[in-house]
Amino acid sequence: MAENTFNTGTPGTSGPEKPKSNKNGVIYGVLIAALVGTWGYMFYDKSQTSKELVVKENQLDTLTNSRNELQSEYDAAQARLDDLISQNSRMDSLVKSKDKEIADMKGRISSILSNKNATAAELAEARRLIDQLKASTESYVQTIERLEGEKIVITGERDVARKERDSVTTVKDSLGKRVEIGSVLHASNIKLSPINVRRNGKEEVTSKAKRADMMRVSFDVDNRIATTGDKDIYVAITAPDGSPLAVEALGSGRFTLEDGTEKLYTVKKTVSYVAGGTTPVSMDWKQNSDFKPGDYTVEIYQDGFRIGAGKVNLKKGGLFN
């Protein structure tokens, strides 16, 4: 007979039991997915931030380069303006007439370019102001060129007028000079005579130097077109050694020649001349020293022109020639 065996233990559930590890795996999966998502977002956000930084850096570089270029252009424009002012007084006066406008323009440009954080709009404003400054400079240059052209024309017209005036003056002076020369008296029959004065007052011509007490210059003056009136006649006597016989205490002095230079005269006389006639003239020179042997020359002047000349020789002995 079969023996029935009974199990007295705790009755089990029917079927296999699910492990606890499945639940934990789900949790871990969710956590890992969240972590991966977080990392992905962080990577994406970092990537976007990097791109934005690159864009901003590029924009900053662009602004910096633009500011540097504008600074160079501004320096060049300002240098050209200063150079034009230094070379041309008219340019300086033109610029000074708009001092405040240019000063405000330059001040605004400098303010923008000195600002490292200047915006694109501000740099655009600086660009516009620099272009305006350059345009103003060129406008000034054109104005100066026009004024210089007008000056050249005016100067040319003045030169022509001056040449015409000078030409007329030259002709007039030439005619005047001819009339002046034509009216100068003419001296003829010129004699330079050494005179010996005796104790009784009688005079005689001598040829001996040691006997000569004075020199007498005699001549005639005439001129067909000279007017009637007083004429100053100057006589200049030159000694054998080439020195002029002139002593101020004895009435000698200086007179002006027609070329403007001065000359010493020995004696002077004012002659009353009658137009159309011949007037005899005589002048004596008695010096305070002895006459030396040799050749003496005499020159006669009127109105600065030499109108005659003569010569005499004084010897130690012999006859007067």
Side-chain angles (χ1 to χ4, degrees):
M1 175 178 197
E3 184 179 356
N4 293 326
T5 304
F6 297 95
N7 186 0
T8 59
T10 303
T13 60
S14 61
E17 183 181 356
K18 290 182 179 180
K20 294 181 180 180
S21 59
N22 289 339
K23 186 177 181 180
N24 291 337
V26 172
I27 294 172
Y28 290 151
V30 171
L31 290 175
I32 290 172
L35 182 59
V36 170
T38 301
W39 285 350
Y41 174 77
M42 291 176 63
F43 178 77
Y44 173 77
D45 183 63
K46 184 176 181 180
S47 175
Q48 290 298 111
T49 302
S50 297
K51 288 180 180 179
E52 291 177 0
L53 288 175
V54 169
V55 170
K56 289 182 178 180
E57 287 177 356
N58 290 337
Q59 291 176 343
L60 182 61
D61 289 342
T62 300
L63 292 176
T64 300
N65 291 336
S66 297
R67 187 176 66 251
N68 292 339
E69 290 177 1
L70 290 173
Q71 184 67 56
S72 298
E73 287 190 32
Y74 175 57
D75 292 342
Q78 190 166 228
R80 174 166 170 72
L81 182 61
D82 292 342
D83 184 56
L84 288 171
I85 291 174
S86 66
Q87 292 181 13
N88 195 300
S89 58
R90 291 192 176 188
M91 183 70 175
D92 188 28
S93 63
L94 284 173
V95 174
K96 283 184 177 179
S97 66
K98 295 190 176 182
D99 263 346
K100 188 176 186 311
E101 178 183 336
I102 292 179
D104 291 345
M105 193 185 305
K106 292 167 69 174
R108 179 55 180 164
I109 294 172
S110 297
S111 175
I112 294 174
L113 296 182
S114 63
N115 181 12
K116 294 183 179 180
N117 297 320
T119 64
E122 290 174 328
L123 292 179
E125 180 186 359
R127 159 70 67 187
R128 179 180 58 79
L129 292 174
I130 291 173
D131 289 341
Q132 185 177 342
L133 180 62
K134 290 161 69 174
S136 297
T137 301
E138 294 306 315
S139 175
Y140 295 149
V141 171
Q142 292 174 7
T143 301
I144 290 174
E145 289 176 347
R146 177 177 58 79
L147 292 175
E148 290 298 329
E150 293 175 356
K151 178 181 177 182
I152 291 173
V153 172
I154 293 173
T155 301
E157 292 175 349
R158 286 178 180 173
D159 289 342
V160 171
R162 183 169 57 250
K163 287 179 180 179
E164 291 177 351
R165 185 181 66 248
D166 291 345
S167 178
V168 171
T169 302
T170 300
V171 172
K172 182 179 178 181
D173 290 345
S174 178
L175 291 174
K177 182 69 71 176
R178 290 180 184 179
V179 172
E180 183 181 357
I181 294 174
S183 63
V184 172
L185 298 176
H186 171 256
S188 59
N189 301 321
I190 301 169
K191 294 180 181 179
L192 178 59
S193 305
I195 303 296
N196 172 249
V197 182
R198 294 183 178 184
R199 291 182 180 180
N200 60 8
K202 185 178 179 180
E203 298 177 356
E204 64 178 5
V205 176
T206 181
S207 61
K208 296 180 181 179
K210 65 179 181 179
R211 295 186 61 189
D213 295 312
M214 64 181 180
M215 288 282 190
R216 176 167 292 161
V217 182
S218 60
F219 52 92
D220 295 328
V221 293
D222 64 89
N223 189 305
R224 293 180 180 178
I225 66 173
T227 57
T228 298
D230 291 340
K231 313 291 183 182
D232 289 333
I233 309 294
Y234 298 88
V235 169
I237 302 174
T238 304
D241 62 0
S243 61
L245 297 185
V247 181
E248 187 175 353
L250 298 178
S252 302
R254 294 177 179 274
F255 69 103
T256 303
L257 297 173
E258 54 87 17
D259 63 358
T261 60
E262 290 188 337
K263 184 177 178 64
L264 285 170
Y265 66 84
T266 307
V267 289
K268 169 190 173 184
K269 189 172 185 177
T270 300
V271 178
S272 296
Y273 179 76
V274 178
T278 299
T279 303
V281 181
S282 180
M283 300 185 197
D284 293 339
W285 167 248
K286 188 175 182 179
Q287 61 187 28
N288 53 6
S289 60
D290 295 335
F291 288 97
K292 304 298 181 182
D295 291 330
Y296 288 79
T297 59
V298 58
E299 295 174 300
I300 305 168
Y301 291 86
Q302 192 250 321
D303 280 350
F305 294 93
R306 195 174 82 161
I307 62 175
K311 181 183 291 187
V312 69
N313 180 268
L314 281 180
K315 300 179 181 179
K316 292 182 179 179
L319 296 176
F320 172 68
N321 295 324

